[in-house]
Amino acid sequence: MASVRQFQVTFDCADPERVARFWCDVLGYVVPPPPEGFASWDEFNRALPEERQGSAFACIDPTGVGPRLFFQRVPEGKVVKNRVHLDVRVGTGLVGDERLAVLEQECERLVALGAVRQRVLVADGFNESCIVMQDVEGNEFCLD
């Protein structure tokens, strides 16, 4: 019998802390405590070699249910559509106008955090409506 394994979702980005803090606000995640022996993440960061400072950041689900999100600095910018993206599930169980109203309300909140609204995909008889968005560095995600 196969066992369930933990996993994390990793984002390549230019500014790991900025992107991580955006996703903390979106998902209600938190920044984990700094490593043992450090009073803060800033203190830990200053202890790293200069070229590694600010190169990574993480956030976690405070309930322990959701996956850890890890953000790592990479030299190249984003140039094509993501092959994998997050669906932020705010409209689960809702349909029609009620669903769209909830999605639009959450979209407004996320735009205020720095997200960009791309387009609405309207229900087609098979899939319910969703809103395609981008995070603060242009990574696509859906409000679903």
Side-chain angles (χ1 to χ4, degrees):
M1 178 175 189
S3 63
V4 176
R5 300 208 177 13
Q6 289 186 343
F7 69 96
Q8 74 178 9
V9 178
T10 301
F11 291 72
D12 290 348
C13 55
D15 187 345
E17 183 172 354
R18 177 177 179 241
V19 180
R21 290 191 184 280
F22 169 81
W23 283 104
C24 282
D25 289 341
V26 170
L27 300 174
Y29 271 40
V30 297
V31 175
E36 193 171 321
F38 295 93
S40 68
W41 281 105
D42 285 338
E43 182 183 327
F44 171 77
N45 195 48
R46 287 190 304 273
L48 295 172
E50 188 173 336
E51 67 274 4
R52 292 200 50 225
Q53 291 179 6
S55 66
F57 212 80
C59 58
I60 58 172
D61 178 351
T63 68
V65 174
R68 178 178 189 254
L69 302 181
F70 183 74
F71 304 85
Q72 61 187 4
R73 185 174 57 214
V74 296
E76 68 277 358
K78 182 180 176 312
V79 293
V80 297
K81 185 180 183 311
N82 302 13
R83 294 288 305 260
V84 174
H85 67 267
L86 301 182
D87 286 344
V88 180
R89 314 270 337 261
V90 297
T92 304
L94 302 175
V95 296
D97 291 342
E98 184 180 16
R99 179 183 178 88
L100 278 173
V102 168
L103 296 178
E104 292 290 355
Q105 183 177 13
E106 182 67 359
C107 179
E108 286 181 32
R109 184 180 81 84
L110 300 184
V111 166
L113 294 174
V116 175
R117 176 192 178 116
Q118 291 297 120
R119 65 189 178 284
V120 175
L121 300 176
V122 180
D124 60 11
F126 183 71
N127 294 305
E128 269 302 324
S129 298
C130 70
I131 301 176
V132 180
M133 302 190 71
Q134 292 180 337
D135 73 10
V136 294
E137 283 200 2
N139 298 301
E140 295 89 3
F141 68 96
C142 292
L143 286 180
D144 177 28

